[in-house]
Amino acid sequence: MHNYELRIDLSDKEALYHSDMPYVLGGGLFIPSKLNVSMGEVLSIRLVLPEEEQEILLKAKVVWMSQKQNGIKPQGFGVQILGEDSIFYKAKAEKLLAGIKANARSSYTM
């Protein structure tokens, strides 16, 4: 296991939409990356969200991996936000993405 601390910049709603994984219990994010992580690995994340001036510090566990780029879907991994951080992240993401329709748009994972 590694001791990664990542800085993820999702400062625009489009980037958040593509990375958000709302179907992950507690909220999740897809992180486009070639970083060598392991399933179950816990990461520290400094997250920048739209309309937020400060980074949000999160702990997250790797729960999904895409080893290879597939068409428009980038290589990377999905994380589940852990603990009380998940409540804040999920509420903030839902508020920011409210009203954005998925018509003809896809995320990095689905």
Short mmCIF file of all heavy atoms in Angstrom, two decimals, residues 37-87:
data_model
loop_
_atom_site.label_atom_id
_atom_site.label_comp_id
_atom_site.label_asym_id
_atom_site.label_seq_id
_atom_site.Cartn_x
_atom_site.Cartn_y
_atom_site.Cartn_z
N VAL A 37 -2.58 2.31 -7.87
CA VAL A 37 -3.24 2.11 -6.57
C VAL A 37 -3.80 0.70 -6.50
O VAL A 37 -3.93 0.02 -7.51
CB VAL A 37 -4.36 3.15 -6.34
CG1 VAL A 37 -3.81 4.56 -6.29
CG2 VAL A 37 -5.45 3.03 -7.39
N SER A 38 -4.16 0.27 -5.31
CA SER A 38 -4.72 -1.06 -5.10
C SER A 38 -6.15 -0.96 -4.61
O SER A 38 -6.51 0.00 -3.92
CB SER A 38 -3.89 -1.80 -4.04
OG SER A 38 -2.55 -1.88 -4.42
N MET A 39 -6.94 -1.96 -4.93
CA MET A 39 -8.31 -2.03 -4.42
C MET A 39 -8.26 -2.01 -2.90
O MET A 39 -7.42 -2.68 -2.28
CB MET A 39 -9.02 -3.30 -4.89
CG MET A 39 -9.35 -3.30 -6.36
SD MET A 39 -10.58 -2.05 -6.79
CE MET A 39 -12.05 -2.79 -6.12
N GLY A 40 -9.12 -1.21 -2.29
CA GLY A 40 -9.19 -1.12 -0.84
C GLY A 40 -8.21 -0.12 -0.23
O GLY A 40 -8.29 0.17 0.96
N GLU A 41 -7.32 0.41 -1.03
CA GLU A 41 -6.33 1.38 -0.53
C GLU A 41 -7.05 2.67 -0.11
O GLU A 41 -7.94 3.15 -0.79
CB GLU A 41 -5.31 1.68 -1.61
CG GLU A 41 -4.16 2.53 -1.15
CD GLU A 41 -3.02 2.56 -2.15
OE1 GLU A 41 -3.03 1.82 -3.15
OE2 GLU A 41 -2.09 3.35 -1.91
N VAL A 42 -6.65 3.22 1.03
CA VAL A 42 -7.21 4.47 1.53
C VAL A 42 -6.29 5.62 1.13
O VAL A 42 -5.08 5.56 1.35
CB VAL A 42 -7.43 4.43 3.05
CG1 VAL A 42 -7.91 5.78 3.57
CG2 VAL A 42 -8.42 3.32 3.42
N LEU A 43 -6.89 6.65 0.53
CA LEU A 43 -6.15 7.80 0.04
C LEU A 43 -6.60 9.06 0.76
O LEU A 43 -7.75 9.16 1.18
CB LEU A 43 -6.41 8.00 -1.46
CG LEU A 43 -6.25 6.79 -2.37
CD1 LEU A 43 -6.75 7.13 -3.76
CD2 LEU A 43 -4.81 6.36 -2.41
N SER A 44 -5.72 10.03 0.84
CA SER A 44 -6.08 11.38 1.30
C SER A 44 -6.28 12.21 0.05
O SER A 44 -5.45 12.18 -0.86
CB SER A 44 -4.95 11.98 2.14
OG SER A 44 -4.77 11.23 3.32
N ILE A 45 -7.37 12.96 0.02
CA ILE A 45 -7.69 13.77 -1.15
C ILE A 45 -7.95 15.21 -0.72
O ILE A 45 -8.71 15.44 0.22
CB ILE A 45 -8.93 13.21 -1.89
CG1 ILE A 45 -8.63 11.81 -2.40
CG2 ILE A 45 -9.36 14.14 -3.02
CD1 ILE A 45 -9.81 11.11 -3.03
N ARG A 46 -7.31 16.13 -1.41
CA ARG A 46 -7.60 17.56 -1.26
C ARG A 46 -8.42 17.92 -2.49
O ARG A 46 -7.91 17.97 -3.60
CB ARG A 46 -6.30 18.37 -1.20
CG ARG A 46 -5.50 18.05 0.06
CD ARG A 46 -4.22 18.85 0.19
NE ARG A 46 -3.33 18.57 -0.93
CZ ARG A 46 -2.71 19.50 -1.67
NH1 ARG A 46 -2.86 20.78 -1.40
NH2 ARG A 46 -1.90 19.16 -2.64
N LEU A 47 -9.71 18.14 -2.28
CA LEU A 47 -10.67 18.31 -3.37
C LEU A 47 -11.09 19.76 -3.51
O LEU A 47 -11.42 20.42 -2.53
CB LEU A 47 -11.91 17.45 -3.09
CG LEU A 47 -13.03 17.48 -4.11
CD1 LEU A 47 -12.57 16.92 -5.45
CD2 LEU A 47 -14.23 16.70 -3.58
N VAL A 48 -11.06 20.25 -4.76
CA VAL A 48 -11.56 21.58 -5.08
C VAL A 48 -12.89 21.41 -5.80
O VAL A 48 -12.95 20.75 -6.84
CB VAL A 48 -10.57 22.36 -5.98
CG1 VAL A 48 -11.13 23.73 -6.32
CG2 VAL A 48 -9.22 22.48 -5.31
N LEU A 49 -13.96 21.98 -5.24
CA LEU A 49 -15.29 21.90 -5.83
C LEU A 49 -15.71 23.27 -6.36
O LEU A 49 -15.22 24.29 -5.91
CB LEU A 49 -16.32 21.44 -4.78
CG LEU A 49 -16.26 19.99 -4.36
CD1 LEU A 49 -17.22 19.72 -3.22
CD2 LEU A 49 -16.57 19.06 -5.54
N PRO A 50 -16.67 23.28 -7.31
CA PRO A 50 -17.18 24.56 -7.79
C PRO A 50 -17.75 25.38 -6.63
O PRO A 50 -18.32 24.84 -5.69
CB PRO A 50 -18.31 24.16 -8.75
CG PRO A 50 -18.00 22.76 -9.15
CD PRO A 50 -17.31 22.14 -7.96
N GLU A 51 -17.57 26.68 -6.72
CA GLU A 51 -18.13 27.63 -5.76
C GLU A 51 -17.53 27.51 -4.36
O GLU A 51 -18.04 28.07 -3.40
CB GLU A 51 -19.66 27.52 -5.70
CG GLU A 51 -20.32 27.73 -7.05
CD GLU A 51 -21.79 27.41 -7.05
OE1 GLU A 51 -22.39 27.22 -5.98
OE2 GLU A 51 -22.36 27.35 -8.15
N GLU A 52 -16.45 26.78 -4.21
CA GLU A 52 -15.76 26.64 -2.93
C GLU A 52 -14.40 27.33 -3.03
O GLU A 52 -13.67 27.12 -3.99
CB GLU A 52 -15.55 25.17 -2.56
CG GLU A 52 -16.81 24.44 -2.19
CD GLU A 52 -17.39 24.90 -0.88
OE1 GLU A 52 -16.64 25.11 0.08
OE2 GLU A 52 -18.62 25.03 -0.81
N GLU A 53 -14.07 28.12 -2.05
CA GLU A 53 -12.79 28.82 -2.07
C GLU A 53 -11.65 27.97 -1.50
O GLU A 53 -10.50 28.16 -1.85
CB GLU A 53 -12.91 30.13 -1.29
CG GLU A 53 -13.83 31.12 -1.96
CD GLU A 53 -13.92 32.42 -1.19
OE1 GLU A 53 -13.03 32.71 -0.37
OE2 GLU A 53 -14.91 33.14 -1.42
N GLN A 54 -12.00 27.05 -0.61
CA GLN A 54 -10.96 26.24 0.03
C GLN A 54 -11.08 24.79 -0.40
O GLN A 54 -12.15 24.30 -0.74
CB GLN A 54 -11.10 26.33 1.54
CG GLN A 54 -10.80 27.70 2.09
CD GLN A 54 -10.80 27.69 3.61
OE1 GLN A 54 -11.55 26.94 4.23
NE2 GLN A 54 -9.97 28.52 4.20
N GLU A 55 -9.94 24.11 -0.36
CA GLU A 55 -9.92 22.68 -0.62
C GLU A 55 -10.65 21.96 0.51
O GLU A 55 -10.62 22.40 1.65
CB GLU A 55 -8.49 22.17 -0.69
CG GLU A 55 -7.70 22.74 -1.83
CD GLU A 55 -6.25 22.31 -1.79
OE1 GLU A 55 -5.73 21.94 -0.71
OE2 GLU A 55 -5.62 22.37 -2.84
N ILE A 56 -11.27 20.86 0.16
CA ILE A 56 -11.93 20.01 1.14
C ILE A 56 -11.04 18.79 1.34
O ILE A 56 -10.62 18.16 0.37
CB ILE A 56 -13.32 19.56 0.63
CG1 ILE A 56 -14.19 20.78 0.34
CG2 ILE A 56 -13.98 18.61 1.61
CD1 ILE A 56 -15.39 20.46 -0.52
N LEU A 57 -10.71 18.47 2.57
CA LEU A 57 -9.86 17.32 2.86
C LEU A 57 -10.74 16.10 3.08
O LEU A 57 -11.65 16.13 3.92
CB LEU A 57 -8.99 17.60 4.08
CG LEU A 57 -8.08 18.82 3.97
CD1 LEU A 57 -7.35 19.07 5.28
CD2 LEU A 57 -7.09 18.65 2.83
N LEU A 58 -10.47 15.04 2.34
CA LEU A 58 -11.27 13.82 2.40
C LEU A 58 -10.39 12.60 2.56
O LEU A 58 -9.24 12.59 2.11
CB LEU A 58 -12.07 13.64 1.10
CG LEU A 58 -12.98 14.75 0.62
CD1 LEU A 58 -13.47 14.45 -0.79
CD2 LEU A 58 -14.15 14.91 1.57
N LYS A 59 -10.96 11.57 3.15
CA LYS A 59 -10.36 10.24 3.12
C LYS A 59 -11.27 9.41 2.22
O LYS A 59 -12.51 9.52 2.28
CB LYS A 59 -10.33 9.59 4.52
CG LYS A 59 -9.32 10.22 5.44
CD LYS A 59 -7.93 9.83 5.04
CE LYS A 59 -6.94 10.32 6.09
NZ LYS A 59 -5.58 10.23 5.61
N ALA A 60 -10.68 8.59 1.37
CA ALA A 60 -11.46 7.80 0.43
C ALA A 60 -10.77 6.46 0.17
O ALA A 60 -9.55 6.36 0.24
CB ALA A 60 -11.64 8.57 -0.87
N LYS A 61 -11.60 5.46 -0.13
CA LYS A 61 -11.09 4.10 -0.38
C LYS A 61 -11.30 3.74 -1.84
O LYS A 61 -12.38 3.97 -2.40
CB LYS A 61 -11.84 3.11 0.52
CG LYS A 61 -11.42 1.66 0.32
CD LYS A 61 -12.04 0.74 1.34
CE LYS A 61 -13.53 0.66 1.19
NZ LYS A 61 -14.15 -0.38 2.02
N VAL A 62 -10.29 3.16 -2.47
CA VAL A 62 -10.38 2.73 -3.86
C VAL A 62 -11.36 1.55 -3.94
O VAL A 62 -11.17 0.53 -3.27
CB VAL A 62 -9.00 2.33 -4.42
CG1 VAL A 62 -9.12 1.80 -5.84
CG2 VAL A 62 -8.03 3.50 -4.35
N VAL A 63 -12.43 1.72 -4.75
CA VAL A 63 -13.45 0.68 -4.86
C VAL A 63 -13.67 0.22 -6.30
O VAL A 63 -14.43 -0.73 -6.54
CB VAL A 63 -14.80 1.15 -4.27
CG1 VAL A 63 -14.69 1.36 -2.77
CG2 VAL A 63 -15.33 2.40 -4.96
N TRP A 64 -13.04 0.87 -7.25
CA TRP A 64 -13.25 0.52 -8.66
C TRP A 64 -12.04 0.96 -9.46
O TRP A 64 -11.46 2.01 -9.16
CB TRP A 64 -14.50 1.24 -9.16
CG TRP A 64 -14.96 0.87 -10.52
CD1 TRP A 64 -15.62 -0.26 -10.88
CD2 TRP A 64 -14.79 1.62 -11.72
NE1 TRP A 64 -15.89 -0.26 -12.22
CE2 TRP A 64 -15.38 0.90 -12.76
CE3 TRP A 64 -14.19 2.84 -12.01
CZ2 TRP A 64 -15.39 1.34 -14.07
CZ3 TRP A 64 -14.20 3.29 -13.32
CH2 TRP A 64 -14.81 2.55 -14.33
N MET A 65 -11.64 0.15 -10.44
CA MET A 65 -10.47 0.50 -11.24
C MET A 65 -10.74 0.28 -12.72
O MET A 65 -11.39 -0.69 -13.10
CB MET A 65 -9.26 -0.33 -10.80
CG MET A 65 -8.86 -0.01 -9.37
SD MET A 65 -7.56 -1.06 -8.73
CE MET A 65 -6.18 -0.50 -9.67
N SER A 66 -10.23 1.18 -13.52
CA SER A 66 -10.24 1.07 -14.97
C SER A 66 -8.78 1.11 -15.40
O SER A 66 -8.17 2.17 -15.43
CB SER A 66 -11.04 2.23 -15.58
OG SER A 66 -10.96 2.17 -16.99
N GLN A 67 -8.24 -0.05 -15.70
CA GLN A 67 -6.80 -0.17 -15.97
C GLN A 67 -6.37 0.45 -17.30
O GLN A 67 -5.22 0.81 -17.47
CB GLN A 67 -6.39 -1.65 -15.98
CG GLN A 67 -6.61 -2.34 -14.67
CD GLN A 67 -5.67 -1.88 -13.58
OE1 GLN A 67 -4.68 -1.22 -13.82
NE2 GLN A 67 -6.00 -2.22 -12.35
N LYS A 68 -7.33 0.56 -18.22
CA LYS A 68 -6.99 1.01 -19.57
C LYS A 68 -8.00 2.01 -20.06
O LYS A 68 -9.19 1.91 -19.74
CB LYS A 68 -7.06 -0.20 -20.50
CG LYS A 68 -5.81 -0.59 -21.17
CD LYS A 68 -6.07 -1.84 -21.94
CE LYS A 68 -5.25 -1.82 -23.20
NZ LYS A 68 -5.35 -3.05 -23.94
N GLN A 69 -7.55 2.98 -20.84
CA GLN A 69 -8.48 3.90 -21.47
C GLN A 69 -9.33 3.10 -22.44
O GLN A 69 -8.84 2.23 -23.14
CB GLN A 69 -7.74 5.02 -22.20
CG GLN A 69 -8.68 6.03 -22.78
CD GLN A 69 -7.98 7.31 -23.18
OE1 GLN A 69 -6.87 7.57 -22.75
NE2 GLN A 69 -8.63 8.08 -24.00
N ASN A 70 -10.65 3.41 -22.47
CA ASN A 70 -11.58 2.69 -23.32
C ASN A 70 -12.42 3.72 -24.06
O ASN A 70 -13.38 4.26 -23.51
CB ASN A 70 -12.45 1.77 -22.46
CG ASN A 70 -13.46 1.02 -23.27
OD1 ASN A 70 -13.45 1.05 -24.49
ND2 ASN A 70 -14.35 0.33 -22.58
N GLY A 71 -12.07 4.04 -25.29
CA GLY A 71 -12.80 5.06 -26.05
C GLY A 71 -12.64 6.41 -25.36
O GLY A 71 -11.54 6.88 -25.16
N ILE A 72 -13.77 7.01 -24.96
CA ILE A 72 -13.71 8.31 -24.28
C ILE A 72 -13.58 8.15 -22.77
O ILE A 72 -13.46 9.13 -22.05
CB ILE A 72 -14.95 9.17 -24.61
CG1 ILE A 72 -16.23 8.50 -24.12
CG2 ILE A 72 -14.99 9.50 -26.08
CD1 ILE A 72 -17.43 9.40 -24.13
N LYS A 73 -13.62 6.94 -22.29
CA LYS A 73 -13.50 6.67 -20.85
C LYS A 73 -12.02 6.58 -20.48
O LYS A 73 -11.30 5.73 -20.97
CB LYS A 73 -14.20 5.37 -20.45
CG LYS A 73 -15.63 5.25 -20.93
CD LYS A 73 -16.55 6.15 -20.18
CE LYS A 73 -17.99 5.84 -20.57
NZ LYS A 73 -18.91 6.83 -20.22
N PRO A 74 -11.54 7.46 -19.60
CA PRO A 74 -10.11 7.46 -19.28
C PRO A 74 -9.72 6.36 -18.29
O PRO A 74 -10.56 5.82 -17.57
CB PRO A 74 -9.91 8.83 -18.62
CG PRO A 74 -11.23 9.16 -18.03
CD PRO A 74 -12.26 8.55 -18.95
N GLN A 75 -8.43 6.07 -18.26
CA GLN A 75 -7.87 5.18 -17.25
C GLN A 75 -7.97 5.89 -15.90
O GLN A 75 -7.85 7.10 -15.82
CB GLN A 75 -6.42 4.89 -17.58
CG GLN A 75 -5.71 4.02 -16.59
CD GLN A 75 -4.28 3.72 -17.02
OE1 GLN A 75 -3.93 3.89 -18.18
NE2 GLN A 75 -3.47 3.31 -16.08
N GLY A 76 -8.20 5.14 -14.84
CA GLY A 76 -8.25 5.74 -13.52
C GLY A 76 -8.88 4.81 -12.51
O GLY A 76 -8.93 3.60 -12.71
N PHE A 77 -9.41 5.40 -11.43
CA PHE A 77 -10.00 4.59 -10.37
C PHE A 77 -11.11 5.37 -9.68
O PHE A 77 -11.12 6.59 -9.67
CB PHE A 77 -8.94 4.13 -9.36
CG PHE A 77 -8.10 5.25 -8.82
CD1 PHE A 77 -8.47 5.90 -7.64
CD2 PHE A 77 -6.94 5.64 -9.46
CE1 PHE A 77 -7.70 6.94 -7.14
CE2 PHE A 77 -6.16 6.68 -8.95
CZ PHE A 77 -6.54 7.32 -7.79
N GLY A 78 -12.04 4.61 -9.10
CA GLY A 78 -13.13 5.20 -8.35
C GLY A 78 -12.89 5.03 -6.86
O GLY A 78 -12.35 4.01 -6.42
N VAL A 79 -13.28 6.06 -6.11
CA VAL A 79 -13.11 6.00 -4.66
C VAL A 79 -14.45 6.23 -3.96
O VAL A 79 -15.32 6.93 -4.47
CB VAL A 79 -12.08 7.04 -4.14
CG1 VAL A 79 -10.70 6.74 -4.69
CG2 VAL A 79 -12.49 8.47 -4.47
N GLN A 80 -14.59 5.62 -2.81
CA GLN A 80 -15.73 5.83 -1.92
C GLN A 80 -15.27 6.79 -0.83
O GLN A 80 -14.25 6.54 -0.17
CB GLN A 80 -16.17 4.50 -1.31
CG GLN A 80 -17.30 4.64 -0.32
CD GLN A 80 -17.63 3.31 0.34
OE1 GLN A 80 -16.77 2.46 0.51
NE2 GLN A 80 -18.89 3.14 0.70
N ILE A 81 -16.01 7.89 -0.68
CA ILE A 81 -15.67 8.86 0.36
C ILE A 81 -16.01 8.24 1.71
O ILE A 81 -17.09 7.67 1.89
CB ILE A 81 -16.45 10.18 0.17
CG1 ILE A 81 -16.33 10.70 -1.27
CG2 ILE A 81 -16.00 11.22 1.18
CD1 ILE A 81 -14.96 11.03 -1.74
N LEU A 82 -15.11 8.36 2.66
CA LEU A 82 -15.27 7.69 3.95
C LEU A 82 -15.72 8.63 5.06
O LEU A 82 -15.44 9.83 5.03
CB LEU A 82 -13.94 7.04 4.37
CG LEU A 82 -13.39 6.00 3.41
CD1 LEU A 82 -12.00 5.55 3.87
CD2 LEU A 82 -14.32 4.81 3.29
N GLY A 83 -16.38 8.06 6.06
CA GLY A 83 -16.72 8.78 7.29
C GLY A 83 -17.66 9.95 7.08
O GLY A 83 -18.45 9.99 6.15
N GLU A 84 -17.54 10.93 7.97
CA GLU A 84 -18.41 12.10 7.93
C GLU A 84 -18.16 12.96 6.69
O GLU A 84 -19.03 13.71 6.28
CB GLU A 84 -18.21 12.93 9.20
CG GLU A 84 -18.48 12.12 10.45
CD GLU A 84 -19.34 12.85 11.44
OE1 GLU A 84 -19.61 14.03 11.26
OE2 GLU A 84 -19.75 12.19 12.41
N ASP A 85 -16.98 12.82 6.09
CA ASP A 85 -16.68 13.54 4.86
C ASP A 85 -17.71 13.22 3.78
O ASP A 85 -18.05 14.05 2.95
CB ASP A 85 -15.29 13.18 4.32
CG ASP A 85 -14.16 13.59 5.25
OD1 ASP A 85 -14.36 14.52 6.06
OD2 ASP A 85 -13.09 12.99 5.16
N SER A 86 -18.19 11.97 3.79
CA SER A 86 -19.11 11.54 2.75
C SER A 86 -20.43 12.31 2.80
O SER A 86 -21.01 12.62 1.76
CB SER A 86 -19.38 10.03 2.86
OG SER A 86 -20.09 9.74 4.04
N ILE A 87 -20.89 12.64 3.98
CA ILE A 87 -22.15 13.38 4.14
C ILE A 87 -22.01 14.77 3.50
O ILE A 87 -22.86 15.20 2.71
CB ILE A 87 -22.55 13.49 5.62
CG1 ILE A 87 -22.78 12.11 6.20
CG2 ILE A 87 -23.78 14.38 5.79
CD1 ILE A 87 -22.84 12.06 7.72
#
